[in-house]
């Protein structure tokens, strides 16, 4: 019986020692209303402060924080861009950081832009390093679109569209690629035929010249059976300017030149020098819905008076993290088509969109 009591007393003492040690090592956050939180400070973005509290995460408004006492190192990014780290003592707007190299540094609460834990800073630095020196397969974001429509009965019709968009954006440059296609067939009274068969694709590389300007090179390839176009192959480049660049709205304008080679099934082949001017616009209507639009005008320099116009737009509404519903419109206008063909060809497609994001952590 005595040995059992001694065992219980020993376990109680060990537990108390562990609690005291853990409490001594934990961060303490005091709010303006007098409440105290004990845990581990993980981060602050200048609006909220997050504290790991037991197995959960507590978030409090940064403006309500009165004091912080941290025994573990915290990384503070100041508004002047300086990053300091060490144990933090903060009370009544005065912040002291005990750094290993520079000793004690004093600043103010208003001067702090971001706070990260050691683990958070390591993850952030790894992300920055990846952006600065990415591998070719890193940082790709994009989507795959697919749609199918069919009718069976007195007539048999099938329409299938497939699209692919992807972009790899770093701090220095951007690679983007796209493909869109539409195929439709119809059978009526035993007579079968293709009613639509077009595919369009392109590849573009952009490099930042400054914060507002970039240089770009691109190639576009196109096939359209019902325009008698076996292949249109375009190579060009130019310069662009970021007019609006925010988390909600992007607006770019651009200009340059291109070489256009066209091969038609009628036997006609044409090569033309072109100028180009256009704009690209992306806007988040809501958290789930995004509108994208691009318009490019190609005046023909070899056969003046003729021109091409490319217009592409889409709207997508997110259904889940990786699935959305989309509607795409792709228009190609050619002022000098082959004889008997119309000047305008429009692809209107809708269906499900599956997204992928190798940049997301």
């Amino acid at each position: 019986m005595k040995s059992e009591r001694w065992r219980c007393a020993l376990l109680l003492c060990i537990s108390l020692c562990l609690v005291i040690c853990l409490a001594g090592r934990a961060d303490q956050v005091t709010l303006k209303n007098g409440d105290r939180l004990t845990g581990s400070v993980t981060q602050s973005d200048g609006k909220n402060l997050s504290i790991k509290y037991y197995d959960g995460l507590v978030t409090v408004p940064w403006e309500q924080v009165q004091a912080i006492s941290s025994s573990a190192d915290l990384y503070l990014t100041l508004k002047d861009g300086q990053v300091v780290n060490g144990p933090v003592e903060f009370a009544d707007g005065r912040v002291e950081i005990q750094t290993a190299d520079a000793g004690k540094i004093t600043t103010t609460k208003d001067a702090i832009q971001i706070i990260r834990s050691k683990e958070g800073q390591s993850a952030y630095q790894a992300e920055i390093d990846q952006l600065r020196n990415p591998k070719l397969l890193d940082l790709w974001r994009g989507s795959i679109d697919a749609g199918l429509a069919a009718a069976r009965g007195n007539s048999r019709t099938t329409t299938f569209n497939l699209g692919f968009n992807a972009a790899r954006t770093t701090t220095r440059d951007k690679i983007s690629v796209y493909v869109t296609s539409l195929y439709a067939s119809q059978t009526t009274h035993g007579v079968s035929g293709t009613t639509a068969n077009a595919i369009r694709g392109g590849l573009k590389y952009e490099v930042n010249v400054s914060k507002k300007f970039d240089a770009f090179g691109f190639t576009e390839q196109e096939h359209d059976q019902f325009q008698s176009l076996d292949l249109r192959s375009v190579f060009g480049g130019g310069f662009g300017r970021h007019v609006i660049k925010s988390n909600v709205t992007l607006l770019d304008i651009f200009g340059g030149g291109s070489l256009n080679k066209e091969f038609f099934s009628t036997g006609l082949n044409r090569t033309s020098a072109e100028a180009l001017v256009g704009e690209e616009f992306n806007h988040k209507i809501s958290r789930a819905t995004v509108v994208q639009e691009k318009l490019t005008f190609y005046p023909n320099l070899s056969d003046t008076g003729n021109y091409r116009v490319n217009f592409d737009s889409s709207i997508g509404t997110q259904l889940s993290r990786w699935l959305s519903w989309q509607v795409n419109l792709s228009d190609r206008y050619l002022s000098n088509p082959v004889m008997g063909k119309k000047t305008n060809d429009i692809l209107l497609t809708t269906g499900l969109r599956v997204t992928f994001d190798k940049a997301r952590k």
Side-chain angles (χ1 to χ4, degrees), residues 21-55:
C21 290
L22 290 173
R25 295 182 61 186
D27 302 334
Q28 290 190 346
V29 177
T30 304
L31 305 183
K32 290 182 178 179
N33 63 6
D35 291 345
R36 291 188 177 182
L37 300 173
T38 301
S40 299
V41 173
T42 59
Q43 67 172 6
S44 171
D45 58 2
K47 296 180 181 179
N48 296 294
L49 178 73
S50 297
I51 308 106
K52 188 176 181 182
Y53 187 69
Y54 291 103
D55 293 331

mmCIF file of all heavy atoms in Angstrom, residues 21-55:
data_model
loop_
_atom_site.group_PDB
_atom_site.id
_atom_site.type_symbol
_atom_site.label_atom_id
_atom_site.label_comp_id
_atom_site.label_asym_id
_atom_site.label_seq_id
_atom_site.Cartn_x
_atom_site.Cartn_y
_atom_site.Cartn_z
ATOM 1 N N CYS A 21 7.727 23.136 -16.484
ATOM 2 C CA CYS A 21 8.722 23.328 -17.549
ATOM 3 C C CYS A 21 8.073 23.801 -18.842
ATOM 4 O O CYS A 21 8.566 24.707 -19.505
ATOM 5 C CB CYS A 21 9.476 22.029 -17.791
ATOM 6 S SG CYS A 21 10.592 21.578 -16.443
ATOM 7 N N LEU A 22 6.955 23.160 -19.186
ATOM 8 C CA LEU A 22 6.263 23.543 -20.408
ATOM 9 C C LEU A 22 5.708 24.950 -20.315
ATOM 10 O O LEU A 22 5.764 25.730 -21.279
ATOM 11 C CB LEU A 22 5.133 22.551 -20.720
ATOM 12 C CG LEU A 22 5.603 21.152 -21.171
ATOM 13 C CD1 LEU A 22 4.396 20.213 -21.281
ATOM 14 C CD2 LEU A 22 6.334 21.230 -22.503
ATOM 15 N N ALA A 23 5.183 25.308 -19.149
ATOM 16 C CA ALA A 23 4.645 26.660 -18.960
ATOM 17 C C ALA A 23 5.756 27.689 -19.047
ATOM 18 O O ALA A 23 5.582 28.788 -19.588
ATOM 19 C CB ALA A 23 3.921 26.760 -17.619
ATOM 20 N N GLY A 24 6.925 27.312 -18.530
ATOM 21 C CA GLY A 24 8.046 28.240 -18.582
ATOM 22 C C GLY A 24 8.533 28.481 -19.992
ATOM 23 O O GLY A 24 9.039 29.539 -20.315
ATOM 24 N N ARG A 25 8.389 27.449 -20.859
ATOM 25 C CA ARG A 25 8.868 27.575 -22.230
ATOM 26 C C ARG A 25 7.814 28.132 -23.169
ATOM 27 O O ARG A 25 8.115 28.488 -24.298
ATOM 28 C CB ARG A 25 9.331 26.205 -22.740
ATOM 29 C CG ARG A 25 10.532 25.643 -22.007
ATOM 30 C CD ARG A 25 10.951 24.327 -22.604
ATOM 31 N NE ARG A 25 11.325 24.480 -24.007
ATOM 32 C CZ ARG A 25 11.627 23.459 -24.804
ATOM 33 N NH1 ARG A 25 11.601 22.233 -24.334
ATOM 34 N NH2 ARG A 25 11.953 23.684 -26.064
ATOM 35 N N ALA A 26 6.545 28.186 -22.734
ATOM 36 C CA ALA A 26 5.461 28.608 -23.625
ATOM 37 C C ALA A 26 5.458 30.125 -23.777
ATOM 38 O O ALA A 26 5.982 30.865 -22.953
ATOM 39 C CB ALA A 26 4.128 28.124 -23.065
ATOM 40 N N ASP A 27 4.863 30.571 -24.878
ATOM 41 C CA ASP A 27 4.652 31.994 -25.104
ATOM 42 C C ASP A 27 3.388 32.429 -24.386
ATOM 43 O O ASP A 27 2.422 31.655 -24.268
ATOM 44 C CB ASP A 27 4.505 32.282 -26.607
ATOM 45 C CG ASP A 27 5.720 31.824 -27.398
ATOM 46 O OD1 ASP A 27 6.815 31.749 -26.809
ATOM 47 O OD2 ASP A 27 5.558 31.539 -28.599
ATOM 48 N N GLN A 28 3.389 33.664 -23.910
ATOM 49 C CA GLN A 28 2.215 34.211 -23.248
ATOM 50 C C GLN A 28 1.763 35.472 -23.983
ATOM 51 O O GLN A 28 2.566 36.355 -24.261
ATOM 52 C CB GLN A 28 2.510 34.533 -21.783
ATOM 53 C CG GLN A 28 2.693 33.281 -20.921
ATOM 54 C CD GLN A 28 2.733 33.611 -19.439
ATOM 55 O OE1 GLN A 28 2.874 34.774 -19.065
ATOM 56 N NE2 GLN A 28 2.609 32.593 -18.602
ATOM 57 N N VAL A 29 0.479 35.526 -24.276
ATOM 58 C CA VAL A 29 -0.111 36.668 -24.963
ATOM 59 C C VAL A 29 -1.182 37.263 -24.057
ATOM 60 O O VAL A 29 -2.087 36.546 -23.593
ATOM 61 C CB VAL A 29 -0.738 36.254 -26.312
ATOM 62 C CG1 VAL A 29 -1.409 37.452 -26.973
ATOM 63 C CG2 VAL A 29 0.325 35.661 -27.226
ATOM 64 N N THR A 30 -1.086 38.558 -23.783
ATOM 65 C CA THR A 30 -2.061 39.250 -22.942
ATOM 66 C C THR A 30 -2.873 40.202 -23.812
ATOM 67 O O THR A 30 -2.304 40.989 -24.588
ATOM 68 C CB THR A 30 -1.362 40.042 -21.828
ATOM 69 O OG1 THR A 30 -0.540 39.157 -21.062
ATOM 70 C CG2 THR A 30 -2.389 40.696 -20.910
ATOM 71 N N LEU A 31 -4.193 40.111 -23.687
ATOM 72 C CA LEU A 31 -5.076 40.968 -24.465
ATOM 73 C C LEU A 31 -5.445 42.212 -23.680
ATOM 74 O O LEU A 31 -5.255 42.283 -22.455
ATOM 75 C CB LEU A 31 -6.333 40.196 -24.860
ATOM 76 C CG LEU A 31 -6.110 38.874 -25.617
ATOM 77 C CD1 LEU A 31 -7.441 38.261 -25.992
ATOM 78 C CD2 LEU A 31 -5.249 39.105 -26.859
ATOM 79 N N LYS A 32 -5.974 43.207 -24.371
ATOM 80 C CA LYS A 32 -6.327 44.463 -23.721
ATOM 81 C C LYS A 32 -7.435 44.305 -22.690
ATOM 82 O O LYS A 32 -7.557 45.121 -21.771
ATOM 83 C CB LYS A 32 -6.738 45.489 -24.781
ATOM 84 C CG LYS A 32 -5.569 45.975 -25.633
ATOM 85 C CD LYS A 32 -5.998 47.026 -26.639
ATOM 86 C CE LYS A 32 -4.809 47.525 -27.449
ATOM 87 N NZ LYS A 32 -5.202 48.545 -28.456
ATOM 88 N N ASN A 33 -8.260 43.255 -22.829
ATOM 89 C CA ASN A 33 -9.325 43.027 -21.853
ATOM 90 C C ASN A 33 -8.848 42.244 -20.634
ATOM 91 O O ASN A 33 -9.630 41.902 -19.754
ATOM 92 C CB ASN A 33 -10.506 42.313 -22.495
ATOM 93 C CG ASN A 33 -10.140 40.922 -23.018
ATOM 94 O OD1 ASN A 33 -9.021 40.444 -22.810
ATOM 95 N ND2 ASN A 33 -11.079 40.280 -23.701
ATOM 96 N N GLY A 34 -7.541 41.933 -20.585
ATOM 97 C CA GLY A 34 -6.973 41.237 -19.447
ATOM 98 C C GLY A 34 -6.838 39.741 -19.621
ATOM 99 O O GLY A 34 -6.168 39.082 -18.817
ATOM 100 N N ASP A 35 -7.442 39.160 -20.663
ATOM 101 C CA ASP A 35 -7.320 37.718 -20.904
ATOM 102 C C ASP A 35 -5.888 37.369 -21.256
ATOM 103 O O ASP A 35 -5.181 38.129 -21.926
ATOM 104 C CB ASP A 35 -8.245 37.272 -22.038
ATOM 105 C CG ASP A 35 -9.712 37.351 -21.638
ATOM 106 O OD1 ASP A 35 -9.985 37.480 -20.419
ATOM 107 O OD2 ASP A 35 -10.574 37.269 -22.537
ATOM 108 N N ARG A 36 -5.473 36.146 -20.802
ATOM 109 C CA ARG A 36 -4.127 35.666 -21.107
ATOM 110 C C ARG A 36 -4.215 34.325 -21.820
ATOM 111 O O ARG A 36 -4.991 33.460 -21.430
ATOM 112 C CB ARG A 36 -3.299 35.522 -19.827
ATOM 113 C CG ARG A 36 -2.947 36.848 -19.173
ATOM 114 C CD ARG A 36 -1.978 36.650 -18.032
ATOM 115 N NE ARG A 36 -1.574 37.914 -17.430
ATOM 116 C CZ ARG A 36 -0.704 38.032 -16.438
ATOM 117 N NH1 ARG A 36 -0.129 36.932 -15.943
ATOM 118 N NH2 ARG A 36 -0.403 39.216 -15.953
ATOM 119 N N LEU A 37 -3.395 34.180 -22.872
ATOM 120 C CA LEU A 37 -3.331 32.942 -23.631
ATOM 121 C C LEU A 37 -1.916 32.401 -23.554
ATOM 122 O O LEU A 37 -0.949 33.139 -23.746
ATOM 123 C CB LEU A 37 -3.713 33.180 -25.091
ATOM 124 C CG LEU A 37 -5.118 33.740 -25.356
ATOM 125 C CD1 LEU A 37 -5.283 34.083 -26.829
ATOM 126 C CD2 LEU A 37 -6.180 32.726 -24.930
ATOM 127 N N THR A 38 -1.796 31.115 -23.245
ATOM 128 C CA THR A 38 -0.496 30.466 -23.151
ATOM 129 C C THR A 38 -0.404 29.401 -24.242
ATOM 130 O O THR A 38 -1.286 28.541 -24.350
ATOM 131 C CB THR A 38 -0.296 29.820 -21.780
ATOM 132 O OG1 THR A 38 -0.402 30.833 -20.771
ATOM 133 C CG2 THR A 38 1.073 29.171 -21.686
ATOM 134 N N GLY A 39 0.634 29.467 -25.041
ATOM 135 C CA GLY A 39 0.804 28.521 -26.134
ATOM 136 C C GLY A 39 2.038 28.875 -26.928
ATOM 137 O O GLY A 39 3.053 29.275 -26.356
ATOM 138 N N SER A 40 1.954 28.748 -28.249
ATOM 139 C CA SER A 40 3.073 29.085 -29.131
ATOM 140 C C SER A 40 2.585 30.045 -30.207
ATOM 141 O O SER A 40 1.660 29.711 -30.954
ATOM 142 C CB SER A 40 3.643 27.822 -29.788
ATOM 143 O OG SER A 40 4.130 26.931 -28.813
ATOM 144 N N VAL A 41 3.199 31.226 -30.269
ATOM 145 C CA VAL A 41 2.863 32.175 -31.327
ATOM 146 C C VAL A 41 3.328 31.601 -32.657
ATOM 147 O O VAL A 41 4.500 31.225 -32.812
ATOM 148 C CB VAL A 41 3.517 33.537 -31.059
ATOM 149 C CG1 VAL A 41 3.306 34.469 -32.252
ATOM 150 C CG2 VAL A 41 2.951 34.162 -29.791
ATOM 151 N N THR A 42 2.426 31.512 -33.633
ATOM 152 C CA THR A 42 2.781 30.953 -34.943
ATOM 153 C C THR A 42 2.977 32.036 -35.992
ATOM 154 O O THR A 42 3.943 31.999 -36.756
ATOM 155 C CB THR A 42 1.709 29.970 -35.423
ATOM 156 O OG1 THR A 42 0.439 30.642 -35.514
ATOM 157 C CG2 THR A 42 1.593 28.793 -34.459
ATOM 158 N N GLN A 43 2.073 33.040 -36.028
ATOM 159 C CA GLN A 43 2.241 34.082 -37.034
ATOM 160 C C GLN A 43 1.308 35.252 -36.766
ATOM 161 O O GLN A 43 0.319 35.132 -36.045
ATOM 162 C CB GLN A 43 1.957 33.532 -38.441
ATOM 163 C CG GLN A 43 0.507 33.153 -38.672
ATOM 164 C CD GLN A 43 0.232 32.802 -40.128
ATOM 165 O OE1 GLN A 43 1.130 32.736 -40.954
ATOM 166 N NE2 GLN A 43 -1.023 32.587 -40.453
ATOM 167 N N SER A 44 1.642 36.373 -37.397
ATOM 168 C CA SER A 44 0.775 37.544 -37.441
ATOM 169 C C SER A 44 0.986 38.224 -38.778
ATOM 170 O O SER A 44 2.118 38.379 -39.232
ATOM 171 C CB SER A 44 1.097 38.518 -36.303
ATOM 172 O OG SER A 44 0.388 39.736 -36.493
ATOM 173 N N ASP A 45 -0.117 38.609 -39.424
ATOM 174 C CA ASP A 45 -0.036 39.314 -40.698
ATOM 175 C C ASP A 45 -0.319 40.804 -40.558
ATOM 176 O O ASP A 45 -0.555 41.497 -41.537
ATOM 177 C CB ASP A 45 -1.019 38.708 -41.708
ATOM 178 C CG ASP A 45 -2.460 38.740 -41.215
ATOM 179 O OD1 ASP A 45 -2.706 39.259 -40.101
ATOM 180 O OD2 ASP A 45 -3.344 38.247 -41.937
ATOM 181 N N GLY A 46 -0.300 41.307 -39.318
ATOM 182 C CA GLY A 46 -0.590 42.709 -39.071
ATOM 183 C C GLY A 46 -2.057 42.969 -38.796
ATOM 184 O O GLY A 46 -2.429 44.054 -38.342
ATOM 185 N N LYS A 47 -2.902 41.960 -39.058
ATOM 186 C CA LYS A 47 -4.333 42.077 -38.777
ATOM 187 C C LYS A 47 -4.751 41.140 -37.655
ATOM 188 O O LYS A 47 -5.569 41.501 -36.805
ATOM 189 C CB LYS A 47 -5.141 41.772 -40.037
ATOM 190 C CG LYS A 47 -4.910 42.753 -41.175
ATOM 191 C CD LYS A 47 -5.744 42.384 -42.397
ATOM 192 C CE LYS A 47 -5.500 43.363 -43.541
ATOM 193 N NZ LYS A 47 -6.294 42.993 -44.745
ATOM 194 N N ASN A 48 -4.195 39.918 -37.667
ATOM 195 C CA ASN A 48 -4.528 38.928 -36.654
ATOM 196 C C ASN A 48 -3.267 38.246 -36.153
ATOM 197 O O ASN A 48 -2.257 38.176 -36.867
ATOM 198 C CB ASN A 48 -5.480 37.868 -37.232
ATOM 199 C CG ASN A 48 -6.821 38.456 -37.646
ATOM 200 O OD1 ASN A 48 -7.591 38.920 -36.814
ATOM 201 N ND2 ASN A 48 -7.087 38.455 -38.944
ATOM 202 N N LEU A 49 -3.340 37.743 -34.920
ATOM 203 C CA LEU A 49 -2.250 36.983 -34.320
ATOM 204 C C LEU A 49 -2.753 35.573 -34.048
ATOM 205 O O LEU A 49 -3.836 35.403 -33.468
ATOM 206 C CB LEU A 49 -1.781 37.636 -33.016
ATOM 207 C CG LEU A 49 -0.666 36.897 -32.262
ATOM 208 C CD1 LEU A 49 0.666 37.053 -32.986
ATOM 209 C CD2 LEU A 49 -0.546 37.420 -30.820
ATOM 210 N N SER A 50 -1.978 34.565 -34.467
ATOM 211 C CA SER A 50 -2.369 33.166 -34.277
ATOM 212 C C SER A 50 -1.482 32.528 -33.223
ATOM 213 O O SER A 50 -0.261 32.686 -33.237
ATOM 214 C CB SER A 50 -2.258 32.389 -35.585
ATOM 215 O OG SER A 50 -3.148 32.916 -36.554
ATOM 216 N N ILE A 51 -2.126 31.811 -32.289
ATOM 217 C CA ILE A 51 -1.424 31.121 -31.208
ATOM 218 C C ILE A 51 -1.838 29.662 -31.211
ATOM 219 O O ILE A 51 -3.041 29.347 -31.219
ATOM 220 C CB ILE A 51 -1.736 31.728 -29.824
ATOM 221 C CG1 ILE A 51 -1.511 33.239 -29.835
ATOM 222 C CG2 ILE A 51 -0.903 31.069 -28.747
ATOM 223 C CD1 ILE A 51 -2.795 34.028 -29.833
ATOM 224 N N LYS A 52 -0.836 28.765 -31.231
ATOM 225 C CA LYS A 52 -1.126 27.341 -31.108
ATOM 226 C C LYS A 52 -1.423 27.051 -29.651
ATOM 227 O O LYS A 52 -0.566 27.217 -28.784
ATOM 228 C CB LYS A 52 0.063 26.521 -31.608
ATOM 229 C CG LYS A 52 -0.232 25.030 -31.687
ATOM 230 C CD LYS A 52 0.938 24.255 -32.268
ATOM 231 C CE LYS A 52 0.609 22.769 -32.356
ATOM 232 N NZ LYS A 52 1.760 21.992 -32.883
ATOM 233 N N TYR A 53 -2.647 26.617 -29.391
ATOM 234 C CA TYR A 53 -3.137 26.459 -28.022
ATOM 235 C C TYR A 53 -3.561 25.014 -27.846
ATOM 236 O O TYR A 53 -4.577 24.577 -28.389
ATOM 237 C CB TYR A 53 -4.309 27.421 -27.808
ATOM 238 C CG TYR A 53 -4.820 27.508 -26.396
ATOM 239 C CD1 TYR A 53 -4.053 28.084 -25.395
ATOM 240 C CD2 TYR A 53 -6.088 27.031 -26.074
ATOM 241 C CE1 TYR A 53 -4.526 28.186 -24.108
ATOM 242 C CE2 TYR A 53 -6.579 27.124 -24.786
ATOM 243 C CZ TYR A 53 -5.797 27.709 -23.799
ATOM 244 O OH TYR A 53 -6.280 27.799 -22.513
ATOM 245 N N TYR A 54 -2.764 24.236 -27.096
ATOM 246 C CA TYR A 54 -2.963 22.792 -26.974
ATOM 247 C C TYR A 54 -2.990 22.189 -28.389
ATOM 248 O O TYR A 54 -2.035 22.318 -29.130
ATOM 249 C CB TYR A 54 -4.228 22.473 -26.188
ATOM 250 C CG TYR A 54 -4.101 22.847 -24.719
ATOM 251 C CD1 TYR A 54 -4.701 24.004 -24.224
ATOM 252 C CD2 TYR A 54 -3.356 22.069 -23.848
ATOM 253 C CE1 TYR A 54 -4.566 24.370 -22.890
ATOM 254 C CE2 TYR A 54 -3.220 22.418 -22.507
ATOM 255 C CZ TYR A 54 -3.821 23.572 -22.040
ATOM 256 O OH TYR A 54 -3.682 23.924 -20.725
ATOM 257 N N ASP A 55 -4.080 21.541 -28.785
ATOM 258 C CA ASP A 55 -4.152 20.925 -30.115
ATOM 259 C C ASP A 55 -4.851 21.813 -31.131
ATOM 260 O O ASP A 55 -5.027 21.419 -32.285
ATOM 261 C CB ASP A 55 -4.894 19.575 -30.036
ATOM 262 C CG ASP A 55 -4.102 18.543 -29.251
ATOM 263 O OD1 ASP A 55 -2.862 18.636 -29.256
ATOM 264 O OD2 ASP A 55 -4.722 17.654 -28.635
#
